[in-house]
């Protein structure tokens, strides 16, 4: 349940930067042009690292705490503002705690985690701008600035959402002749907020970073060359193959279920609740715009094609919980109890249903793998070659003791079965693993790598434990 290394691909890199900043006292040491200029995610962990007197790796635990506390509170606040129903608010807060994207970002913290938490807060503060609340305006500007210096999408996603809301509210106001009380004031306040966000987004994209080039190159430049797929009979794509009915059910994408339910809920809301249908239509417009942008110009969004979907979690949950605002109190309470029980029970038994093993993709290291990497650092000279994930994943000991990551990737020779032809001195091989992550994608190995290595007379075996072997040639 608690792996010996940090979980994921990026957190170990963040932990290394946290340690370097904490030791040096300056963000200029961060090994990234973007995060050197936008270091809030790293700086937040540095503060926790210093105040809590804990290691850099352990300091990332601040983000599961932030997600676990702020997300349910902010979603509950939004649900109460929109639906004005206490049970619906509790249902929304409970659902967001078990929503898969939110859970993943809790134990796999990256810079985007911070701005995903900011987004529902931005929604709350924006709803209070029309009430001419000075404190809300100041807080909103602070959140905008924090988002600017946290992640590439920190301002772009809120800008798309607010622009969509402004368009729908303006169109609705024109149809009604702004006869609804305060509708003109709301549109005017939202216009000012969106204009400020446009300026800040332009500053982030063109001054703080050079990400303005992404959409320009994507739309008008030459298409980038992609790495050709490796053609081999010795490895295959690690397509998930369920071993039983339970695993098949578990393999269904939760997000598809959530989006489907949100679509039904949105349709019902539009039919039954005109006032809140404005927010549903705005969310739909923002989603369609981002989807179309990804489809027509895949490189236009700096953080990648699918990253924007992470931001949808709180709003999908708001729509689903809103389904029960149209039912009587007894049905709503019953639905709340059933949903929470189902979600809690399924999460509790997920570890039993899907067993970890060598034929499964995993993004963490076991203790024997860490031990073998530590042995390599202490007792070998020169670079040690291993698979891509093990080569790039810094173990906590390396970070704390400022040891360089002197490992090299040999994923391609493993996939193409040419390890015996490679010129390496040391090779660290995870013989207990069947699925390996390469530089671009993952592969399922279809032959016995250890047998090939053991039969090669030029390669000698110098270290072994339960999961790994180290060879010298």
């Amino acid at each position: 349940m608690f792996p010996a290394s940090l979980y994921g691909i990026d957190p170990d890199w963040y932990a290394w930067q946290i340690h370097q900043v904490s030791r040096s006292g300056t963000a200029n040491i961060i090994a990234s042009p973007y995060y050197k200029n936008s270091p809030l995610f790293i700086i937040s962990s540095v503060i926790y690292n210093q105040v809590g007197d804990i290691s850099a790796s352990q300091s990332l635990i601040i983000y599961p705490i932030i997600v676990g506390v702020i997300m349910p509170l902010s979603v509950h606040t939004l649900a109460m503002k929109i639906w004005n129903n206490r049970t619906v608010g509790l249902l929304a807060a409970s659902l967001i705690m078990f929503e898969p994207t939110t859970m993943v970002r809790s134990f796999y913290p990256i810079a985007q985690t911070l701005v995903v938490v900011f987004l529902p807060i931005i929604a709350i503060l924006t709803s209070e701008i029309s009430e001419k609340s000075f404190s809300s305006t100041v807080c909103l500007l602070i959140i905008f600035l924090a988002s600017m210096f946290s992640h590439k999408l920190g301002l772009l996603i809120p800008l798309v959402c607010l622009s969509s809301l402004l368009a729908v509210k303006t169109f609705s106001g024109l149809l009604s002749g702004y006869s609804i009380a305060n509708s003109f004031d709301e549109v005017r306040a939202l216009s000012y907020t969106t204009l400020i966000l446009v300026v800040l987004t332009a500053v982030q994209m063109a001054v703080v970073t050079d990400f303005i080039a992404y959409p320009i190159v994507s739309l008008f430049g030459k298409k980038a060359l992609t790495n050709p797929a490796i053609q081999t009979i010795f490895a295959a794509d690690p397509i998930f193959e369920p071993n039983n009915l339970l695993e098949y059910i578990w393999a269904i994408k939760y997000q598809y279920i959530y989006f489907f339910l949100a679509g039904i809920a949105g349709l019902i809301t539009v039919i039954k609740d005109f006032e809140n249908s404005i927010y549903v239509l705005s969310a739909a417009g923002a989603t369609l715009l981002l989807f179309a942008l990804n489809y027509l110009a895949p490189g236009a969004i700096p953080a990648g094609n699918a990253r924007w979907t992470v931001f949808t979690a709180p709003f999908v949950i708001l729509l689903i919980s809103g389904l029960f605002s149209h039912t009587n109190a007894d049905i709503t309470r019953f639905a709340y109890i059933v949903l929470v029980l189902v979600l809690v029970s399924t999460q509790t038994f997920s570890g039993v249903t899907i067993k970890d093993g060598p034929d499964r993709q995993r993004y963490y290291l076991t203790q024997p793998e860490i031990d073998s990497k530590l042995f390599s650092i202490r007792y070998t000279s020169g670079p040690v070659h291993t698979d891509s994930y093990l080569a790039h994943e810094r173990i906590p000991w390396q970070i704390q003791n400022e040891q360089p990551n002197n490992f090299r990737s040999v994923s391609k020779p493993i996939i193409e079965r040419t390890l015996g032809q490679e010129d390496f001195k040391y090779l660290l091989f995870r013989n207990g693993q069947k699925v390996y992550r390469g530089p671009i994608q993952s592969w399922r190995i279809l032959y016995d790598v250890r047998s090939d290595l053991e039969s090669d007379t030029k390669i000698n075996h110098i270290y072994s434990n339960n999961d790994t072997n180290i060879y010298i040639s």
Side-chain angles (χ1 to χ4, degrees), residues 277-412:
S277 67
I278 290 175
Y279 300 106
V280 175
L281 294 172
S282 302
T287 303
L288 286 173
L289 178 59
L290 289 166
F291 182 83
L293 187 62
N294 277 292
Y295 181 77
L296 298 173
I301 295 182
N305 289 352
R307 288 288 184 92
W308 65 271
T309 58
V310 179
F311 291 86
T312 63
F315 305 106
V316 166
I317 293 302
L318 283 170
L319 283 172
I320 294 173
S321 60
L323 271 174
F324 300 97
S325 66
H326 307 295
T327 59
N328 63 53
D330 291 335
I331 294 176
T332 305
R333 280 194 291 269
F334 176 75
Y336 171 72
I337 294 170
V338 170
L339 281 171
V340 170
L341 286 176
V342 168
L343 289 168
V344 171
S345 63
T346 52
Q347 294 298 334
T348 302
F349 295 105
S350 62
V352 178
T353 306
I354 301 181
K355 295 185 180 297
D356 203 357
D359 59 342
R360 294 280 185 261
Q361 176 70 282
R362 59 178 167 89
Y363 293 107
Y364 64 87
L365 301 179
T366 64
Q367 189 60 52
E369 290 167 351
I370 286 183
D371 291 341
S372 62
K373 197 164 186 179
L374 188 57
F375 178 91
S376 301
I377 295 169
R378 287 174 170 171
Y379 301 110
T380 63
S381 58
V384 178
H385 291 75
T386 185
D387 64 89
S388 181
Y389 182 73
L390 186 57
H392 292 101
E393 182 72 12
R394 286 182 175 88
I395 61 176
W397 186 89
Q398 278 181 279
I399 297 170
Q400 197 63 27
N401 292 278
E402 299 184 35
Q403 292 295 313
N405 201 40
N406 198 20
F407 291 82
R408 303 290 182 269
S409 172
V410 288
S411 293
K412 187 175 179 181

